Amino acid sequence: MGSEDSPELGAVDEPRPPSASLSSFSLRELHHVVIAIRTAAQISCCSRGNGTNDSTQGNFILLWYSDSPHLERIHFVVILIAYLLTLVSNTTIILVFQLDFHFHTPMYFFLTHLYFLDLSFTTSSIPQLLCNLSGGDKTIGYTGCAIQLFLFLGLGGVECLLLAVMAYDCFVAVCKTLHSMVIMNPCLCMALVLVAWGCGMANSLAMSPVTLLLPHCGNHHVDHFLCETPALIRMACVNTAAVEGTAFVLAVGIVLSPLVLILVSYGYIMRAVLQIQSVSGRQKAFNTCGSHLTVVSLFYGNIMYMCTQPGNSSSQDQGKFLTLFYNIITPLLISLIYTLRNKEANGALRRLMLGDTKVGKK
C-alpha cells in the first residue's frame, strides 16, 4: 500500500510547468491595459481641448525671440523708434486733413481712414511685442490673444477693401473727371467706408472664433510674435483641414476680390491715360493715382510673397519678418509716400509745425 501511494505523492509534489495558454492570457491582458491607459490619456487631452479649452486656463507663450535673446535689446530700440514715428506721422497727417478745408475731398477722406486704419493695426500688436521684449516674460493672456487675432484679421480685411474703394475713386477722378464730385458725393463716400469696415470686421468675426476654439491639447507655444491665424492653426492637435478651407474661402472674398476690382479699375485708368494727348494731362493723371498704385503694390506684394513660401521653418521665419514689416514699416512708408508726393500736404504740414493760425482758412 505504501508503494502504491508513493507515486501519487511524487506526482503531487512535482512542480507544474507554466502552460502556453496562461502565458498568452497574461500578455493579452497587459496589452489591453496599455491600450486602456493610452486611450484614457487621449480622452483626457481632447476633453480639455474640446470642452474647457485648456488655453483659457493660462497664457500663450510667444516664441519668436526665444532663439535670439541677445538681440532683444536691439530689436526693442528699433521697433520702438519705428512705432513712435508711425504714431507721430499718422496722427499729424490725420490732424492736418481734418483742420485744413482744402483736404475735405473724397481722396483725403479715404486717406484719413487709411491712416487711422494703419495706426490701429500697428497699435493692435506692437505694444504687446515691446512689452515682451522689455522683460523676460513672453506671454500673452487668452483674452489678449483673442482681441489681437480679431483686430489683426478685421483691420487687415478692412484695408484690402479700402484700397479697392480708393482705386474706384481714382477711376472716377481720371475717367469721369467732369462728374467726379457728383459721383463721389459725401453720402456715397461714407457708405463705401462703412461697407469696408463692416465686411472686414464680419470676416474677422467669422474666422476668429473658429481658430480660437481649436483644441491645443496643452500646447501654449505660439510660433510667432503675435496671435495670427496660421500660427494658431499649427498649434492644434486635431485635423484642421476644415478650418483651413474656411480660411481660404474667406481670404478669397476679402483679399482676392478687392485685388480684382483694383486691377479692373487700373485697366480703365490706363486706357484713359493713353488717350490723353497732352503731356501735362498724363502727368496729372499719374500724380493722382501714382501714390495709391505704389501702396497697393507694397501691400499686395507682401501678401503674395508670404502666400507663395513653402511651409518649412526658414520660410516661417521670413513670414514673421514680413508680418513685422507689414505691421510697422508699411504704415510709416504709406505716410511718407503720400506726403512726399503731395505738395499741398507738405505745405499744410509746414504750416502746422510753424503754428500758422491760417491753417484751414482761405
Side-chain angles (χ1 to χ4, degrees):
M1 183 174 182
S3 60
E4 292 178 356
D5 295 336
S6 58
E8 294 180 0
L9 293 175
V12 171
D13 294 336
E14 183 179 357
R16 296 179 180 179
S19 63
S21 61
L22 180 61
S23 176
S24 60
F25 175 79
S26 300
L27 291 177
R28 284 199 305 270
E29 287 297 311
L30 180 62
H31 181 65
H32 291 162
V33 169
V34 172
I35 293 177
I37 294 174
R38 185 183 302 173
T39 304
Q42 291 176 350
I43 293 175
S44 175
C45 174
C46 292
S47 65
R48 290 197 305 268
N50 292 326
T52 60
N53 197 347
D54 55 349
S55 58
T56 62
Q57 307 302 322
N59 298 329
F60 289 104
I61 302 173
L62 305 175
L63 297 177
W64 189 33
Y65 286 101
S66 59
D67 296 334
S68 55
H70 58 285
L71 298 177
E72 289 186 357
R73 293 181 181 272
I74 299 175
H75 291 156
F76 177 83
V77 173
V78 173
I79 293 173
L80 178 62
I81 293 174
Y83 178 60
L84 291 178
L85 289 175
T86 302
L87 284 179
V88 173
S89 62
N90 284 29
T91 304
T92 303
I93 294 173
I94 291 173
L95 185 62
V96 168
F97 288 172
Q98 293 300 309
L99 293 178
D100 197 328
F101 81 97
H102 292 99
F103 299 106
H104 294 175
T105 62
M107 183 181 75
Y108 293 107
F109 174 76
F110 296 133
L111 275 178
T112 300
H113 282 269
L114 181 64
Y115 287 132
F116 176 76
L117 184 64
D118 287 336
L119 192 61
S120 302
F121 191 87
T122 302
T123 305
S124 68
S125 59
I126 297 303
Q128 177 67 44
L129 174 59
L130 292 173
C131 181
N132 291 342
L133 289 175
S134 62
D137 188 14
K138 301 295 185 292
T139 62
I140 181 174
Y142 179 83
T143 302
C145 183
I147 294 174
Q148 196 174 79
L149 176 65
F150 176 79
L151 292 177
F152 186 83
L153 290 174
L155 297 176
V158 174
E159 185 157 1
C160 292
L161 296 170
L162 188 59
L163 289 175
V165 171
M166 296 175 69
Y168 176 72
D169 179 60
C170 290
F171 160 75
V172 173
V174 174
C175 302
K176 309 287 183 180
T177 306
L178 298 179
H179 306 284
S180 59
M181 296 306 297
V182 177
I183 297 174
M184 300 303 295
N185 57 78
C187 292
L188 179 61
C189 293
M190 181 60 70
L192 291 174
V193 167
L194 290 177
V195 168
W197 279 93
C199 292
M201 291 304 173
N203 171 75
S204 180
L205 193 61
M207 192 63 205
S208 298
V210 175
T211 305
L212 290 170
L213 291 177
L214 285 173
H216 302 142
C217 296
N219 182 16
H220 298 262
H221 297 81
V222 182
D223 189 17
H224 216 293
F225 70 91
L226 55 79
C227 293
E228 64 152 8
T229 302
L232 293 176
I233 289 178
R234 286 195 297 268
M235 293 172 56
C237 58
V238 295
N239 189 352
T240 59
V243 177
E244 292 176 6
T246 303
F248 176 78
V249 172
L250 292 175
V252 169
I254 208 73
V255 178
L256 294 183
S257 297
L259 179 59
V260 172
L261 294 176
I262 291 171
L263 295 177
V264 171
S265 297
Y266 273 101
Y268 283 104
I269 291 172
M270 185 61 64
R271 188 179 67 175
V273 169
L274 294 177
Q275 294 176 352
I276 299 176
Q277 300 298 326
S278 63
V279 178
S280 60
R282 290 186 178 182
Q283 186 65 36
K284 184 178 179 180
F286 280 120
N287 291 337
T288 301
C289 304
S291 298
H292 177 262
L293 186 59
T294 304
V295 170
V296 169
S297 302
L298 183 66
F299 180 81
Y300 275 99
N302 190 3
I303 293 177
M304 290 181 178
Y305 182 80
M306 287 191 293
C307 291
T308 55
Q309 295 302 299
N312 52 42
S313 59
S314 61
S315 64
Q316 290 178 8
D317 292 338
Q318 292 178 1
K320 298 171 190 176
F321 173 77
L322 289 175
T323 303
L324 179 64
F325 182 87
Y326 172 71
N327 268 260
I328 193 166
I329 303 300
T330 300
L332 185 60
L333 291 178
I334 289 176
S335 61
L336 292 176
I337 288 171
Y338 274 104
T339 54
L340 292 178
R341 294 175 59 93
N342 193 313
K343 295 180 180 179
E344 292 183 0
N346 287 329
L349 285 173
R350 284 195 297 268
R351 291 195 299 270
L352 181 65
M353 292 179 181
L354 294 175
D356 192 348
T357 59
K358 295 182 178 180
V359 173
K361 298 180 181 180
K362 291 184 179 181

